[in-house]
Amino acid sequence: MFFIPAGIIPVTTPTPILTPIEARVLATLMEKARTVPDSYPMSLNTLVLGCNQKTSRDPIMNISDAQALTALDELKSAGLVREASGSRVARFEHNFQRGIGVPEQSAVVLGLLMLRGPQTAGELRLNTERWYRFADISSVEGFLEELQDRAAEKGGPLVVKLPRAPGAREQRWAHLLCGPVDLAALAAADADAAQPGAGASMLLQARIDVLENEVAQLRATVHKLCEELGLPLPPPVSPRGQD
């Protein structure tokens, strides 16, 4: 047993505050490690494609290679990402669980919150199916409550339970890895989503998301094969509605 001399306070490492881009890069690495292990660790090209997916992302982003590299440098300095060795092309992998000091189940919940924005415990259980299978919603709620009640000496809370949105039956949870949640901006987004016709639009977007997710995974596989074979990478596809 170790004893701490009187008057000496143990030093703790505070949880790093991430930028939205750093959170997206980190969460994308966490996602792909579990959902497409054959393409992991990730090259910069496949990582940027994953960050900019139109599916399973909230908000949708358009991150450049330079922005992703800057985020990777910051995440490496924080001990949350490391560069894999033994590859001709630079590849990156996350170190989230050890870097933040949480178990796998908590890491899964935090990763999904970083990727998809605030969600209820039920939504999280459904959305984590490909990452980790929770026994039931109460299991998800248990890990969320642990993250909310995380002691100050461990870095403090990592999630917060949000006020109930108008018309919603359940409260949502949000992560705190990017700092406190902007409740005013969140309320404005909820109001926009509640406009007439939003339900049909969301259904259509969900169908588009499924197709775009499949295309993104195929594109990542093609990029990996080109890199391994030394072939030129295919040109990027223009966004919808642009030449």
Side-chain angles (χ1 to χ4, degrees), residues 48-237:
V48 170
L49 286 172
C51 289
N52 294 337
Q53 281 181 213
K54 302 298 187 294
T55 178
S56 306
R57 302 288 185 267
D58 185 11
I60 293 172
M61 292 184 173
N62 186 23
I63 298 172
S64 67
D65 289 3
Q67 289 174 314
L69 281 172
T70 299
L72 286 166
D73 286 341
E74 293 296 327
L75 291 168
K76 284 191 287 184
S77 297
L80 297 176
V81 165
R82 55 196 175 205
E83 191 168 338
S85 58
S87 176
R88 185 171 55 85
V89 177
R91 293 185 178 275
F92 305 92
E93 58 188 1
H94 76 86
N95 187 40
F96 185 83
Q97 287 171 236
R98 178 170 294 183
I100 297 296
V102 294
E104 180 184 4
Q105 297 94 325
S106 297
V108 165
V109 168
L110 288 167
L112 260 295
L113 289 174
M114 283 191 283
L115 276 185
R116 299 193 178 198
Q119 297 161 74
T120 67
E123 289 170 335
L124 282 167
R125 188 195 176 209
L126 178 64
N127 291 333
T128 56
E129 276 290 308
R130 296 180 64 200
W131 293 38
Y132 181 93
R133 292 198 172 186
F134 288 93
D136 47 38
I137 294 177
S138 63
S139 299
V140 179
E141 290 174 336
F143 283 101
L144 286 167
E145 289 166 2
E146 284 184 9
L147 290 169
Q148 180 177 241
D149 299 334
R150 192 167 180 249
E153 58 266 24
K154 293 184 178 180
L158 292 176
V159 300
V160 62
K161 197 170 190 178
L162 301 173
R164 195 185 309 275
R169 293 192 303 172
E170 298 181 59
Q171 289 176 259
R172 293 174 298 171
W173 295 80
H175 74 87
L176 296 173
L177 290 164
C178 293
V181 177
D182 186 341
L183 295 179
L186 190 62
D190 289 340
D192 289 341
Q195 293 298 319
S201 298
M202 291 176 65
L203 179 60
L204 176 60
Q205 185 60 49
R207 297 174 66 181
I208 294 172
D209 287 348
V210 172
L211 295 174
E212 290 187 337
N213 187 36
E214 293 177 357
V215 171
Q217 292 184 18
L218 290 171
R219 192 179 301 159
T221 301
V222 170
H223 273 257
K224 182 184 178 185
L225 290 173
C226 288
E227 289 167 354
E228 292 177 348
L229 296 174
L231 299 174
L233 297 176
V237 178

Side-chain angles (χ1 to χ4, degrees), residues 7-68:
I8 297 179
I9 300 175
V11 177
T12 58
T13 302
T15 302
I17 300 298
L18 307 178
T19 66
I21 292 178
E22 289 166 4
R24 175 59 54 85
V25 167
L26 180 57
T28 299
L29 288 170
M30 295 167 67
E31 176 192 49
K32 301 307 181 184
R34 292 170 169 85
T35 59
V36 283
D38 290 344
S39 301
Y40 189 83
M42 302 184 73
S43 68
L44 177 63
N45 288 317
T46 55
L47 176 57
V48 170
L49 286 172
C51 289
N52 294 337
Q53 281 181 213
K54 302 298 187 294
T55 178
S56 306
R57 302 288 185 267
D58 185 11
I60 293 172
M61 292 184 173
N62 186 23
I63 298 172
S64 67
D65 289 3
Q67 289 174 314

